[in-house]
Amino acid sequence: MSTYTAEPTIVYIAGYGRSGSTLLDILLNAHPYIFGAGELTEIFEAAAARTPCSCGQPLDACAIWSYVLNHLPAHTTPAEAEHLTRRTETPRWLGGSPRNDEAYGLLWRTIFQAIAHQTGARMVLDSSKNSRNTAERTAALIRTTHLPVRIIHLVRDPRAILYATFRGSNRRLEQEGHAPTRRTAMLRVLIGWMMAHATVERTRAAYPHIPVKRIRYEDLTGTPALTLQQIGGFLNIDMQPVINRLHTGAPFEGGHGIGGNRMRRAGAVHIRADRAWEQALPRYAHLLAWATWPLAHRYAYDLAHPNSAPQGAST
Ligand SMILES: [Zn+2]
């Protein structure tokens, strides 16, 4: 059994990928009470694949993660832990199997407590979000760990996510010859966006006592100080030190995040609103985005207008 006495708060970044969770993780990790763990659900996979932590070391050589991996519940191997995690966090209709809440709860409670023990943080930020095989993670952590959970529901304009997903590929977005394939792939992304946010809404309804703060990516990048203040209010901490660091251009620590992207090792953070999609996204993509209408509308994205200016306030 776990011997830890600390009861860290799990701060869960819920939502879909490519929504700015790495940026939010870097910013919040700069607060002394918070440890940004990155995409924590991938810990066993990253350890097995020797994917480096954002400190540059493989997990078994990193001071934080080697400790955590060496303090799993008794008789639990990382391979078993990975299997249990995937089985529990994947929705049944995508192949998840009957859950073992007791073992899952012990595993993840122990991991969060080990992180808090090793880092001294009161809050552990988990950016695993809710895409496909992590869809049920938020609910599972609430249901089984008996640790306090707070959810930051991060949303971003689905049209910007389409652009972010496809601009990196070799073929240009508007290349006509591949448009049918591209359209199908885009629709898949939009359905993923819908499913992830619908899962967050469902979790919210199932656990009404869990505090949730919705943050729009456009507000985080458009009015970062105000948005950070709102997050500080939500977590009952003073975000001014982080805001000051942002304003002075002082470097941010890369920390010890799992997964995420290269931004974690960038040092100084320069926030800029990434709005290239407003000019570059082809018309058919704007039309496809209407598939997300009910939730996009709920999150104040006006699909009839080709921009998503910050609102300056979130709900
Ligand atoms: Zn590390």
Side-chain angles (χ1 to χ4, degrees), residues 80-119:
E80 287 164 351
E82 165 68 9
H83 183 65
L84 175 63
T85 299
R86 286 287 67 78
R87 192 171 67 178
T88 307
E89 297 178 3
T90 303
R92 246 180 225 215
W93 65 275
L94 280 173
S97 51
R99 23 175 140 125
N100 183 344
D101 272 5
E102 204 178 324
Y104 179 91
L106 174 63
L107 171 67
W108 282 99
R109 181 181 170 84
T110 305
I111 290 174
F112 279 101
Q113 289 183 311
I115 294 169
H117 175 83
Q118 188 68 353
T119 63

Side-chain angles (χ1 to χ4, degrees), residues 244-283:
N244 291 346
R245 181 176 292 227
L246 200 55
H247 283 163
T248 59
F252 281 69
E253 301 283 332
H256 295 278
I258 293 172
N261 59 37
R262 284 168 297 165
M263 190 200 283
R264 280 214 62 144
R265 280 190 259 167
V269 172
H270 304 287
I271 296 183
R272 57 185 168 76
D274 186 1
R275 299 174 67 173
W277 67 270
E278 292 170 9
Q279 306 300 325
L281 201 64
R283 184 167 159 72

Side-chain angles (χ1 to χ4, degrees), residues 88 117-118 146 176 183 185 196 201 216 218 252 266 288 307:
T88 307
H117 175 83
Q118 188 68 353
H146 306 295
E176 231 6 80
R183 275 169 218 189
E201 298 294 347
R216 293 163 96 247
E218 293 77 14
F252 281 69
L288 286 174
N307 65 65

Side-chain angles (χ1 to χ4, degrees), residues 35 52-59 61-65 255-257:
F35 174 74
C53 171
S54 62
C55 71
Q57 297 288 336
L59 302 198
C62 162
I64 308 296
W65 299 118
H256 295 278

Side-chain angles (χ1 to χ4, degrees), residues 9 12 30 42 61 68 78 116 128 131 148 184 191 201 213 281 301 315:
T9 296
Y12 196 92
E42 292 177 10
V68 171
S128 300
S131 302
T184 310
I191 290 168
E201 298 294 347
K213 176 77 179 162
L281 201 64
Y301 295 117
T315 51

Side-chain angles (χ1 to χ4, degrees), residues 108-308:
W108 282 99
R109 181 181 170 84
T110 305
I111 290 174
F112 279 101
Q113 289 183 311
I115 294 169
H117 175 83
Q118 188 68 353
T119 63
R122 301 180 192 182
M123 300 182 190
V124 178
L125 186 69
D126 181 349
S127 308
S128 300
K129 301 177 287 293
N130 305 89
S131 302
R132 287 185 67 90
N133 65 359
T134 64
E136 297 302 323
R137 178 170 172 84
T138 324
L141 292 177
I142 294 169
R143 191 176 69 236
T144 68
T145 63
H146 306 295
L147 291 171
V149 178
R150 285 176 173 264
I151 299 173
I152 296 176
H153 181 193
L154 186 61
V155 299
R156 185 179 184 188
D157 193 311
R159 295 165 296 181
I161 291 185
L162 281 185
Y163 183 68
T165 306
F166 293 99
R167 73 176 151 190
S169 59
N170 294 331
R171 294 192 289 270
R172 290 165 56 210
L173 269 168
E174 61 275 17
Q175 194 170 338
E176 231 6 80
H178 298 281
T181 325
R182 181 57 53 86
R183 275 169 218 189
T184 310
M186 283 188 169
L187 208 50
R188 209 173 293 132
V189 169
L190 293 169
I191 290 168
W193 186 98
M194 285 287 283
M195 301 296 303
H197 292 301
T199 300
V200 180
E201 298 294 347
R202 188 161 40 77
T203 302
R204 221 181 151 150
Y207 302 97
H209 63 288
I210 297 294
V212 182
K213 176 77 179 162
R214 190 190 303 143
I215 296 292
R216 293 163 96 247
Y217 169 87
E218 293 77 14
D219 296 324
L220 178 63
T221 54
T223 52
L226 177 61
T227 306
L228 284 169
Q229 268 167 9
Q230 291 173 343
I231 294 172
F234 175 64
L235 299 177
N236 297 318
I237 54 176
D238 179 9
M239 293 300 289
Q240 203 54 49
V242 179
I243 294 167
N244 291 346
R245 181 176 292 227
L246 200 55
H247 283 163
T248 59
F252 281 69
E253 301 283 332
H256 295 278
I258 293 172
N261 59 37
R262 284 168 297 165
M263 190 200 283
R264 280 214 62 144
R265 280 190 259 167
V269 172
H270 304 287
I271 296 183
R272 57 185 168 76
D274 186 1
R275 299 174 67 173
W277 67 270
E278 292 170 9
Q279 306 300 325
L281 201 64
R283 184 167 159 72
Y284 69 80
H286 281 273
L287 292 174
L288 286 174
W290 280 95
T292 65
W293 181 78
L295 282 175
H297 179 71
R298 185 184 172 100
Y299 305 148
Y301 295 117
D302 185 350
L303 298 175
H305 290 96
N307 65 65
S308 53

